[in-house]
Amino acid sequence: MNEGVVNMAEGRIPEDIKQYRPGPCTEIKLINGHYYVYMYQSLRLPSGKWGKKTGKSIGTIIPGTGFIPNRNYHLFTGEESRDEITVLEYGQYALIETIAGDILSSLKKYFPDDRAFQIFTYACIFYANGFVHLDQVQRYFEQSWLSQEYKKIPFKMGKTALGNLLDDLGRRAKRVVEYENASILESSSSMAIDGHAIRSCSDENDLGEAGYKFQCLKEDQVNLLMGYDINTGMPLFARMFRGSCNDRATIADIAGLLELSGILFVVDRGFYSSKNLEIFSSNGNTYIVPVPSNTNIFKEAMKDIEYTDSFYYSSGKKHARIEYTSRKIGNTEYIHVFRDIDENEKCRFNFQHCMELRKTGYTQEKFDQVKDMFGVYVLQSNSEMSATEVFANYKKRWGIETFYQYLKNIGDFNNLMVQDYYKEQGLAFIMLITGQIHQKMISAVKKLHNNTISIHDILLMARCMKMERKGKNWNLRNARKHDLQMLKSIGFEPQLMVQESD
């Protein structure tokens, strides 16, 4: 006999169990050998007949003992629960909701409202707390202000509901692709693409394989590939690939999936291949990519090198003297060789210092071989922009490395423990939305023009604030005047009191 769910209407509940039913509008269900009591309400079906809608479980029945109520029992009796949460985590969630509200608005353009809110809430929990495993998200949600704010939106945050969400995002990916294409269209059209290895920690993972970081991770890995706007810092798309898949093999898949037209691609040497250069040059696209040192193009560029021009490069507090030379190598392709003079001198000093300390591998012979290569960049491009512009745009690529540092060290997306292909692709999209929230927070904190205040500081200020319920009202608690003033300056004003919605 299949031991599934059997209700009273099917006559499978013993009489000695039925006698403990707590009252009308309740039903008993046998689930995996245990008797659970649920509320239900009558409703008229579209056919005109009457049916019933099952509500929440209000307790269990133990043979020989009786009915044991749970925390939902107050819903049946109409009383206020003694176990209900009356103090919620407010500040950090309300802050994120305010600063990143346009991300939620964008999601609602491409997903049904309940899905959009579910995706946004999932990403908010990640951003406020770091990576949270699937079976733990529900608890964070229940304790957050979002559970009150979105209580009328029909979505759930339990393990099963989120598993279904991730599966849908990975399996029914049309809405995801539409959202990502819109992000690309709204970008500055200057995009860095890079991969990031993540420890898998799952048996039988569809994508987990030993990769180039196996010695470091000591475990199979999956590779996250993301696109990143080098001018705005906004992540644009995300996909998961096999752990053994190298960067250059991913571009064809991305180009076949997304609408990439009129884009300046700024990528690292790991993407250098004739096939990728063709993709980077199609549909009005242009590219900037370092040339690998083992290629004939690199060797020819460095043969009897003479730097004919120079300029000063400035970015933030960094200033550098750059000397360079450029030449055309095809109908549209150029080679630009740059040398950062200051970096070259610093590297020479450090190498010679290591020689004085007699460190292994630091010899005069080795120094003579590499001294002229310190601070050298050999870049290939099909763009008509000047050498100065090529160098400046390539240096902006570092932003995606900084973003990956956030994912690894602050977001803590390290041991995913997801082994299903579709769910991993869905999780990549949630990570993308989390990254977009992060960029919105960066932009907001920059408005302070205060280098001593970080995003972490702002989140800590907001996290102190709670919402406490008294009667029908939720009241702001533990707010400091200084913090309120600081948060107001970035556009967030906490609500002092909110009436509970029915």
Side-chain angles (χ1 to χ4, degrees):
M1 186 70 184
N2 185 15
E3 192 176 48
V5 177
V6 186
N7 60 33
M8 290 176 58
E10 295 170 325
R12 304 300 300 171
I13 306 301
E15 290 298 326
D16 61 335
I17 297 299
K18 291 181 183 180
Q19 65 176 329
Y20 295 121
R21 189 164 71 94
C25 295
T26 61
E27 60 179 344
I28 304 171
K29 294 184 178 183
L30 175 62
I31 304 175
N32 295 328
H34 302 280
Y35 296 98
Y36 296 90
V37 180
Y38 289 81
M39 296 187 300
Y40 73 86
Q41 62 183 46
S42 299
L43 75 165
R44 189 180 293 277
L45 302 174
S47 64
K49 297 182 180 180
W50 284 92
K52 66 180 180 181
K53 179 181 179 181
T54 301
K56 293 185 176 181
S57 168
I58 59 172
T60 59
I61 292 176
I62 299 177
T65 300
F67 173 69
I68 308 297
N70 63 19
R71 67 173 59 184
N72 293 324
Y73 185 61
H74 71 285
L75 299 173
F76 176 68
T77 62
E79 300 174 353
E80 186 171 320
S81 172
R82 295 180 179 180
D83 297 322
E84 190 171 0
I85 295 175
T86 57
V87 181
L88 293 173
E89 296 290 332
Y90 169 73
Q92 69 269 44
Y93 294 102
L95 169 66
I96 295 168
E97 185 184 30
T98 299
I99 299 301
D102 55 347
I103 293 176
L104 175 59
S105 298
S106 296
L107 286 167
K108 290 166 69 174
K109 293 178 184 178
Y110 302 97
F111 296 89
D113 279 3
D114 58 336
R115 261 305 189 239
F117 277 97
Q118 189 181 29
I119 292 167
F120 185 71
T121 299
Y122 200 177
C124 284
I125 290 173
F126 276 170
Y127 191 69
N129 305 284
F131 177 64
V132 178
H133 289 292
L134 205 65
D135 57 351
Q136 300 170 342
V137 176
Q138 174 68 26
R139 173 115 0 144
Y140 282 90
F141 177 64
E142 290 175 347
Q143 296 171 357
S144 78
W145 177 246
L146 299 178
S147 63
Q148 171 65 27
E149 186 84 350
Y150 301 153
K151 66 185 299 183
K152 290 187 176 181
I153 311 297
F155 69 87
K156 297 181 179 180
M157 297 298 290
K159 180 179 179 180
T160 300
L162 293 181
N164 291 336
L165 166 67
L166 296 180
D167 184 80
D168 279 352
L169 292 174
R171 194 182 297 271
R172 299 174 174 86
K174 186 176 180 180
R175 295 181 187 273
V176 170
V177 171
E178 289 175 347
Y179 180 91
E180 292 174 332
N181 278 330
S183 296
I184 293 170
L185 190 62
E186 294 169 4
S187 73
S188 69
S189 297
S190 297
M191 181 194 301
I193 300 177
D194 205 0
H196 176 60
I198 302 176
R199 196 165 181 256
S200 173
C201 288
S202 298
D203 294 332
E204 300 180 1
N205 190 314
D206 290 343
L207 294 172
E209 292 178 339
Y212 69 97
K213 280 198 173 181
F214 183 80
Q215 293 300 320
C216 175
L217 300 175
K218 306 300 182 185
E219 182 63 81
D220 286 351
Q221 69 185 54
V222 294
N223 290 334
L224 173 68
L225 188 81
M226 296 192 80
Y228 173 93
D229 190 323
I230 63 173
N231 292 314
T232 66
M234 183 65 71
L236 302 173
F237 68 83
R239 285 293 179 282
M240 290 287 190
F241 289 89
R242 291 181 293 106
S244 63
C245 182
N246 59 40
D247 287 342
R248 67 173 58 91
T250 62
I251 295 301
D253 284 348
I254 294 299
L257 189 67
L258 300 173
E259 297 174 5
L260 302 172
S261 177
I263 303 294
L264 169 63
F265 292 100
V266 184
V267 296
D268 208 350
R269 61 174 49 85
F271 293 93
Y272 190 95
S273 72
S274 57
K275 183 177 181 180
N276 286 346
L277 294 183
E278 184 178 341
I279 294 172
F280 293 150
S281 303
S282 63
N283 299 322
N285 297 321
T286 53
Y287 66 84
I288 300 171
V289 58
V291 181
S293 60
N294 61 348
T295 62
N296 290 331
I297 292 177
F298 181 95
K299 294 172 183 176
E300 186 65 27
M302 294 305 298
K303 184 179 180 181
D304 301 324
I305 182 72
E306 291 185 11
Y307 299 99
T308 57
D309 295 285
S310 64
F311 61 89
Y312 277 92
Y313 169 74
S314 175
S315 177
K317 294 183 178 181
K318 179 177 175 58
H319 302 271
R321 296 177 297 157
I322 309 297
E323 56 184 3
Y324 72 95
T325 185
S326 302
R327 65 186 181 90
K328 200 169 185 179
I329 62 169
N331 293 331
T332 58
E333 287 78 28
Y334 295 84
I335 289 294
H336 305 278
V337 183
F338 303 92
R339 182 164 67 173
D340 186 326
I341 298 173
D342 299 325
E343 184 179 347
N344 181 273
E345 291 177 351
K346 182 174 65 175
C347 290
R348 287 187 183 214
F349 173 82
N350 290 336
F351 195 104
Q352 289 175 328
H353 181 62
C354 290
M355 287 170 55
E356 292 172 0
L357 297 176
R358 298 184 178 181
K359 288 190 175 182
T360 303
Y362 291 87
T363 64
Q364 184 64 47
E365 182 182 3
K366 183 69 174 178
F367 177 75
D368 292 337
Q369 291 175 356
V370 300
K371 64 181 180 180
D372 291 330
M373 294 302 300
F374 292 140
V376 171
Y377 304 81
V378 180
L379 304 181
Q380 182 173 331
S381 177
N382 67 334
S383 170
E384 292 292 338
M385 66 179 64
S386 68
T388 304
E389 293 172 316
V390 168
F391 185 82
N393 277 289
Y394 179 72
K395 295 296 283 187
K396 290 180 182 178
R397 195 202 70 84
W398 186 252
I400 196 170
E401 301 290 352
T402 304
F403 174 69
Y404 278 143
Q405 289 302 311
Y406 157 73
L407 287 182
K408 178 181 177 181
N409 298 325
I410 301 176
D412 196 27
F413 291 94
N414 293 313
N415 302 322
L416 302 182
M417 297 184 69
V418 177
Q419 61 186 32
D420 178 84
Y421 174 86
Y422 301 103
K423 290 180 180 178
E424 283 190 301
Q425 299 298 352
L427 184 60
F429 185 69
I430 302 298
M431 293 169 68
L432 172 67
I433 302 303
T434 306
Q436 292 185 340
I437 291 173
H438 179 60
Q439 181 53 40
K440 292 291 184 180
M441 288 292 294
I442 289 175
S443 299
V445 173
K446 281 183 178 179
K447 294 178 182 178
L448 296 174
H449 301 291
N450 187 340
N451 292 332
T452 66
I453 300 295
S454 68
I455 294 175
H456 182 68
D457 296 328
I458 294 296
L459 283 172
L460 284 178
M461 287 180 191
R463 185 173 287 127
C464 292
M465 300 177 192
K466 317 297 179 185
M467 274 292 186
E468 183 176 8
R469 193 182 73 180
K470 189 164 185 178
K472 288 290 185 178
N473 293 330
W474 290 93
N475 303 297
L476 183 65
R477 292 287 183 264
N478 201 36
R480 300 171 177 83
K481 184 176 180 180
H482 172 269
D483 292 352
L484 291 174
Q485 293 173 342
M486 182 73 72
L487 292 169
K488 183 178 180 180
S489 65
I490 65 171
F492 172 55
E493 296 186 62
Q495 301 178 75
L496 300 180
M497 185 181 73
V498 181
Q499 188 170 27
E500 183 176 31
S501 58
D502 297 325

